[in-house]
Amino acid sequence: MVFYFTGTGNSQWVAEIIAGAFSDRPVAMSDFFNGGHVEIPEFTVRADERLGFVFPVHAWGVPPSVCKFIERLQLKTYSGQLIYGVFTCGDECGYTREMFVKMIREKGWDCHHAYSVQMPNTYIVFPGFDVDGKEIETGKIEKARLLLPSIVKAINDDKPIDEYRKGSLSFLKSRIIYPQFIKHAMNSRPFYVTDTCISCGLCEKFCPTKNLSMKDHKPVWGNHCVQCLSCIHRCPTRAIEYGKVTRDKGRYYFKKNKV
C-alpha cells in the first residue's frame, strides 16, 4: 500500500506512480479525516507487502495531518515489512526525514528508505513566497518524472540511494520555524471569498481534511486548517484569498494532462 496526503495534487501524482510501479494500492489519508476528527485506519499487511508514505513537506517538517494519521494507523500482521517515505518539496526538506523516521520507530516499525522529490511550489501565504514560473514548474515535473524510476528501483532492490534535499540551515528551519508554524500559522481566519465566487464547490470537494463547507453557496472554513492551500489553488475564478498576502500571486495545482 501507498498512503498519501495531498492538497494540490503533487504528492498524489507521485504516490500513484510509485503504487503503479509496484502494482500496489494508493490510499488517501484524507479518507480518514473529518475536520478535527481522525478515524483509526486499520489495515492487514501481507507478508510480501511494501508500505509507502507520500506527503508534502510543510514548513520543513511533516504536516500535522500526516502525524495524526501515522499516530492512529494500525497495521495488522506487521512483521518487519519494508517501509519507505517519499516527501514532495518545493525547495528543501530540512529535518523532515528525521521526523518521519522517528515517528515510524515510535510505532515499533522500521523505515528502510526515505527520499525527497522536488515539485512545483505551492505555499504562497508567506511574504516573498510565490508559485514557480511556468518554465521552472514544467522543469520540476519533468525532473521528478525522470527521478521516480530510480527511487522505485532502490525500494524494489532494497538498496537505498542518496536522494534527499536537506538544504541549508536545517536546524533553524525544522527546529525553530516549523514549531512556530504549527503553533501560529495553521489558522483559517484570514481566508475569505470575493464576489467572483461562482459557488462551484471545488474548494469543499478537494479540502483533504474536510475543514471547509458550503453555506449559502459560499465556502466557510472550520478550525482545523492544515495550510495545504488546496482551496486557494483549485478555485477556478481566484475567488479565495488569504488576507492581503495572496493577492496578485500565482495559483498552481497538478494537472495530469501536463505529463
Side-chain angles (χ1 to χ4, degrees), residues 19-90:
F22 291 134
S23 298
D24 284 343
R25 175 165 60 110
V27 177
M29 298 184 196
S30 59
D31 290 345
F32 300 88
F33 297 144
N34 187 8
H37 176 68
V38 181
E39 298 176 12
I40 299 178
E42 292 186 351
F43 295 88
T44 299
V45 184
R46 300 191 314 271
D48 62 343
E49 192 165 13
R50 306 173 186 85
L51 299 169
F53 295 82
V54 181
F55 56 84
V57 174
H58 282 189
W60 302 283
V62 181
S65 48
V66 175
C67 295
K68 290 180 181 179
F69 179 87
I70 293 175
E71 287 171 1
R72 299 181 70 82
L73 178 62
Q74 302 296 316
L75 297 177
K76 298 180 179 179
T77 65
Y78 177 78
S79 58
Q81 287 90 332
L82 188 147
I83 291 179
Y84 62 90
V86 179
F87 324 123
T88 58
C89 63

Side-chain angles (χ1 to χ4, degrees), residues 94-179:
Y95 290 152
T96 300
R97 176 173 57 187
E98 288 82 354
M99 295 179 193
F100 173 74
V101 170
K102 183 174 182 291
M103 282 191 294
I104 294 298
R105 286 175 177 168
E106 288 175 348
K107 295 287 291 188
W109 309 332
D110 292 313
C111 177
H112 300 75
H113 299 257
Y115 305 109
S116 66
V117 176
Q118 191 178 36
M119 292 291 287
N121 282 312
T122 63
Y123 200 68
I124 61 173
V125 302
F126 278 174
F129 283 58
D130 203 346
V131 299
D132 296 313
K134 291 300 179 182
E135 184 175 347
I136 294 176
E137 174 189 307
T138 301
K140 284 184 176 180
I141 293 173
E142 177 61 16
K143 287 180 181 179
R145 187 182 66 80
L146 295 174
L147 169 64
L148 285 169
S150 298
I151 291 177
V152 167
K153 186 177 188 305
I155 295 169
N156 184 64
D157 297 343
D158 197 12
K159 294 181 179 180
I161 59 176
D162 183 16
E163 192 58 56
Y164 182 77
R165 299 177 63 90
K166 185 174 184 178
S168 60
L169 302 174
S170 294
F171 182 87
L172 171 65
K173 293 172 179 176
S174 297
R175 301 301 188 213
I176 297 177
I177 296 177
Y178 173 77

